[in-house]
Amino acid sequence: MVNEHNLPFRMREYQELMDQEILNIGDDYDKLANYPTYVIFFCNFDYYQRGLARYQFEFREKWHPEITAGDLRTMVVFNTKAQDYEHATEIRPFLNMIRGTVDTKDKFIAAVDAEVQDIRADKQREARFMKEQIERRRELRKSREAGREETMLTVTKNMVAQGIPQQQIVTLIAASLGTSTEEAQKFYNQAVVAN
């Protein structure tokens, strides 16, 4: 609802969270081919200031935009303040509803508006929904951090096995995990004990 001037970075974070949910540690990246992803934002402001109702982004080659990366990622930003609905005519009633104009003749829009009103009226349901969203993001972050530490533990064991000096390994751990040398030393000690 409010332009926080960070929309591209929010889209990037949400994309990463979705990929983290799909891929488990050790999974082949080809698994992502079965999961095309869409990050969709409905904004009550025109972030890109071109007046378009729909901005759609895909990863493309810079000098030859006809070449896509083929990673099956799509990011879409809908703008309720649009003037140009050329690529979003079918969603115009929904964008109008977000803006505050409800077309009660449209059955879908009337049903969505009724559900929104129910959620807003039931403060416990709204709070529960928000709490679930926050908890899910926390769990995803913890999972991502655990995976990163597990990978670093394996790399550390391999470096120890290759005879790389302890101080060099500790420095690499600190840089990789973005932690202090003391924390990296503890991590190194854990890897050596586990080895």
Side-chain angles (χ1 to χ4, degrees), residues 4 7-8 11 14 41 49 91-92 100 131 150 179 184 189:
E4 296 177 3
L7 186 64
M11 289 192 294
Y14 291 0
F41 275 84
Q49 300 177 10
I91 200 161
R92 187 175 196 159
K131 185 178 177 183
E150 186 175 317
T179 189
N189 294 343

Side-chain angles (χ1 to χ4, degrees), residues 92-117 120:
R92 187 175 196 159
F94 186 72
L95 296 177
N96 288 341
M97 184 197 77
I98 293 172
R99 197 173 53 230
T101 307
V102 178
D103 180 0
T104 54
K105 294 177 199 153
D106 185 312
K107 289 181 182 178
F108 174 72
I109 297 303
V112 170
D113 186 57
E115 182 67 19
V116 168
Q117 298 311 321
R120 285 184 177 157

Side-chain angles (χ1 to χ4, degrees), residues 2-11 41-52 55 57 77-82:
V2 176
N3 186 355
E4 296 177 3
H5 307 287
N6 62 1
L7 186 64
F9 305 111
R10 289 177 66 192
M11 289 192 294
F41 275 84
F42 292 93
C43 298
N44 232 354
F45 52 87
D46 187 356
Y47 188 85
Y48 296 101
Q49 300 177 10
R50 299 283 178 94
L52 304 177
Y55 298 94
F57 302 95
V77 177
F78 287 105
N79 164 29
T80 65
K81 304 291 188 195

Side-chain angles (χ1 to χ4, degrees), residues 15-76:
Q15 177 65 56
E16 182 182 335
L17 289 171
M18 283 192 295
D19 287 346
Q20 289 290 330
E21 194 168 297
I22 294 167
L23 281 180
N24 296 311
I25 295 169
D27 281 350
D28 193 290
Y29 291 116
D30 289 344
K31 182 178 181 182
L32 292 174
N34 299 317
Y35 298 93
T37 57
Y38 294 83
V39 174
I40 302 172
F41 275 84
F42 292 93
C43 298
N44 232 354
F45 52 87
D46 187 356
Y47 188 85
Y48 296 101
Q49 300 177 10
R50 299 283 178 94
L52 304 177
R54 177 185 189 149
Y55 298 94
Q56 185 163 320
F57 302 95
E58 297 171 355
F59 192 35
R60 296 184 174 275
E61 204 283 327
K62 182 175 181 173
W63 292 281
H64 303 279
E66 70 278 6
I67 302 171
T68 65
D71 61 358
L72 304 178
R73 289 183 299 164
T74 303
M75 298 186 186
V76 181

Side-chain angles (χ1 to χ4, degrees), residues 24-26 29 143-159 173 176-177 187 191:
N24 296 311
I25 295 169
Y29 291 116
S143 170
R144 185 171 47 202
E145 288 169 11
R148 192 175 90 178
E149 287 184 7
E150 186 175 317
T151 300
M152 197 64 214
L153 191 60
T154 302
V155 169
T156 301
K157 289 177 186 178
N158 289 337
M159 288 190 288
I173 293 169
S176 297
L177 295 178
F187 196 86

